Amino acid sequence: MIDLTRKQETVILAAVSLYGNDESALRSLSELEQLVRTAGAAVLGKTVQKREAVDPATYVGSGKLTEIRQMMDETGADGLVCDDELTPAQISSLSQALGCKVMDRTMVILDIFARRASSAEGKVQVELAQQRYRLSHLAGLGVSLSRLGGGIGTRGPGEKKLETDRRHIRSRISQLKRELEEIVQHRSVTRAGRQRSASSRIAIVGYTNAGKSTLLNRLTDAGVLEEDELFATLDPTTRQFITPGGQKILLTDTVGFISKLPHNLIDAFRSTLEEARYADHIIHVLDASSPDIDEHIRVVYDTLYELGIRDKKILTIFNKMDLAGEDVRLTDPCADYTAAASLKTGSGLDEICRQIEIMVRSTRKYISRVFPYSQAGLVQRIRLYGELISESYEEDGIHIAAFVPEGYDRL
């Protein structure tokens, strides 16, 4: 019998603590451990080195490198994962010194994205990010792999393997960009159709594994995958949500953010992330039980600002309150509205719905009008896309009081 069971990959984690910021380094290393486990590997050991700067040759110093080599011999680990993005020289030096596979945080995140991507758009975006990473980390293999020409006058070093690799990768990147442009155009058409509907559009953003998909499922029965893992869902999902007051709102779940998110991923997923840019409002979901809640807030808003999102009304939902301690601090200085909830159990949903209605109402116009019966169709449009406060049918017409989207006040 041949055993076809796939052996689980085992790794050692390494991080550098700059300027003695040990607590931050340990938190980042703990998150890297979650990423590695999500990617399917097992962590056999972790180590942190205090330095004023990362070693340009080997990431860590020579003493720490010896310690890592001993850890790998003792544990039998298959590879090393570093908490920062490594240069090609660092990867090469570490591989030669340790005699094993060396990876960085970016490679792990890209691997997870490649596993999770299910739609055509997601697969194209992930491959584009991977190819850009490969292009920036190509290293030559020497003159021994040079390609020689044939015939008189063509002898010489020829075209090196590094150059052919670069040409192939650049060609593939160009092809992926064309495919992504077609997908972006299709997304723009779909987005324009939503804008014509006059329904309010709300994008759900947040740190990965904060509960964004759970919120969408709770409000709309979307059936989006929910797992207690990082980056459980990548593809954006839009569903209609009808508030208790009868307002129709389009909710869009977006890809989660994470500390040290590779720029290649931000660029590749820009069309997906820009769903938040074209939304009318933002719902920011936070894991209130996380000890790194302040760091999560910073990462989310830094990413939003990088996408040019600064002027949206924001509702922050502090999720997982059932796991948070009594002394948890529920503050988000950038939020206009807040609500506390435990989305897994359904606690706090009524308050979330109330805050959504208040947020949407804040950007609408209040009207008090009398419509003739011949314009009853306009009243129906207000009922569909606005918030109808009162409606009465009198001899002189239909008396309406409502909050309506911009432009509807001129009906």
Side-chain angles (χ1 to χ4, degrees):
M1 295 289 290
I2 300 176
D3 185 8
L4 298 179
T5 305
R6 185 178 178 182
K7 179 178 177 285
Q8 185 180 31
E9 192 172 8
T10 56
V11 296
I12 299 293
L13 307 184
V16 171
S17 173
L18 300 177
Y19 313 112
N21 196 354
D22 296 348
E23 186 177 346
S24 176
L26 289 172
R27 288 200 305 264
S28 184
L29 197 64
S30 177
E31 186 175 79
L32 179 63
E33 183 176 5
Q34 286 183 276
L35 287 168
V36 168
R37 287 176 175 170
T38 301
V43 176
L44 300 184
K46 296 185 287 186
T47 183
V48 178
Q49 182 179 33
K50 297 180 182 179
R51 291 181 63 90
E52 293 184 358
V54 169
D55 191 297
T58 56
Y59 182 65
V60 294
S62 57
K64 179 60 69 172
L65 191 59
T66 302
E67 181 184 324
I68 292 173
R69 189 184 300 113
Q70 292 174 348
M71 288 178 66
M72 300 199 72
D73 291 339
E74 293 171 359
T75 61
D78 302 317
L80 172 72
V81 181
C82 298
D83 193 36
D84 297 286
E85 185 167 328
L86 302 176
T87 65
Q90 288 170 332
I91 293 176
S92 177
S93 298
L94 285 170
S95 298
Q96 291 177 8
L98 300 174
C100 69
K101 181 167 69 172
V102 175
M103 298 162 283
D104 59 18
R105 187 185 184 96
T106 300
M107 293 171 70
V108 175
I109 293 176
L110 286 173
D111 183 78
I112 295 172
F113 271 58
R115 287 166 176 253
R116 299 292 192 187
S118 57
S119 68
E121 179 181 15
K123 291 176 181 177
V124 170
Q125 289 169 325
V126 171
E127 187 182 350
L128 180 58
Q130 288 175 322
Q131 295 290 0
R132 283 173 169 166
Y133 179 84
R134 284 186 61 201
L135 183 62
S136 63
H137 285 71
L138 274 180
L141 296 178
V143 180
S144 61
L145 289 180
S146 298
R147 187 175 65 191
L148 301 179
I152 299 174
T154 61
R155 300 186 185 278
E159 185 178 36
K160 292 186 178 180
K161 179 69 165 56
L162 174 63
E163 294 165 352
T164 61
D165 286 345
R166 280 180 177 155
R167 191 176 72 253
H168 288 312
I169 291 174
R170 287 190 178 120
S171 175
R172 182 58 181 159
I173 288 175
S174 298
Q175 181 183 349
L176 290 169
K177 281 183 176 179
R178 288 192 295 269
E179 292 179 18
L180 193 56
E181 285 174 4
E182 294 177 3
I183 295 172
V184 169
Q185 289 177 359
H186 175 71
R187 182 179 290 278
S188 299
V189 172
T190 305
R191 188 185 295 124
R194 293 178 191 148
Q195 290 173 334
R196 285 194 297 271
S197 73
S199 294
S200 291
R201 302 174 304 279
I202 299 179
I204 304 173
V205 304
Y207 210 80
T208 180
N209 202 31
K212 300 182 302 300
S213 298
T214 306
L215 174 65
L216 187 67
N217 287 339
R218 282 289 182 182
L219 295 179
T220 67
D221 295 324
V224 178
L225 176 67
E226 298 177 30
E227 286 186 7
D228 187 18
E229 288 186 351
L230 305 182
F231 301 114
T233 54
L234 295 183
D235 302 315
T237 303
T238 300
R239 294 291 185 271
Q240 187 181 76
F241 165 55
I242 301 177
T243 68
Q247 298 183 68
K248 292 185 177 180
I249 296 170
L250 294 176
L251 294 178
T252 300
D253 183 19
T254 61
V255 64
F257 304 151
I258 197 169
S259 180
K260 303 178 184 178
L261 186 66
H263 282 281
N264 284 335
L265 272 179
I266 295 178
D267 291 339
F269 277 77
R270 187 168 292 274
S271 64
T272 298
L273 293 170
E274 283 188 345
E275 287 291 336
R277 184 177 181 182
Y278 292 101
D280 300 309
H281 311 283
I282 302 291
I283 291 179
H284 174 201
V285 182
L286 269 172
D287 180 358
S289 67
S290 172
D292 307 319
I293 187 169
D294 291 333
E295 173 68 8
H296 292 181
I297 291 174
R298 184 195 66 78
V299 168
V300 169
Y301 285 112
D302 283 352
T303 308
L304 289 177
Y305 294 158
E306 187 172 345
L307 294 168
I309 302 170
R310 295 175 178 269
D311 56 349
K312 312 286 186 184
K313 294 283 186 180
I314 297 176
L315 163 61
T316 294
I317 298 173
F318 294 93
N319 187 28
K320 305 185 183 180
M321 290 299 298
D322 55 324
L323 304 177
E326 295 181 358
D327 57 343
V328 64
R329 183 170 53 90
L330 304 181
T331 56
D332 179 357
C334 298
D336 301 284
Y337 312 92
T338 60
S342 175
L343 296 173
K344 202 70 176 179
T345 63
S347 172
L349 280 177
D350 291 341
E351 177 62 15
I352 290 174
C353 293
R354 191 178 75 85
Q355 292 294 336
I356 289 175
E357 288 186 321
I358 293 173
M359 179 172 65
V360 171
R361 184 187 297 168
S362 69
T363 57
R364 291 184 166 179
K365 300 290 184 65
Y366 176 79
I367 63 169
S368 179
R369 297 269 302 276
V370 179
F371 290 90
Y373 285 99
S374 60
Q375 295 183 359
L378 295 179
V379 178
Q380 177 61 18
R381 289 181 64 187
I382 291 173
R383 186 179 291 108
L384 283 173
Y385 302 120
E387 182 182 359
L388 202 58
I389 305 300
S390 65
E391 175 184 11
S392 64
Y393 292 79
E394 309 293 342
E395 289 185 5
D396 58 339
I398 308 171
H399 291 245
I400 292 295
F403 287 95
V404 296
E406 186 175 352
Y408 275 64
D409 55 324
R410 295 188 293 271
L411 290 174

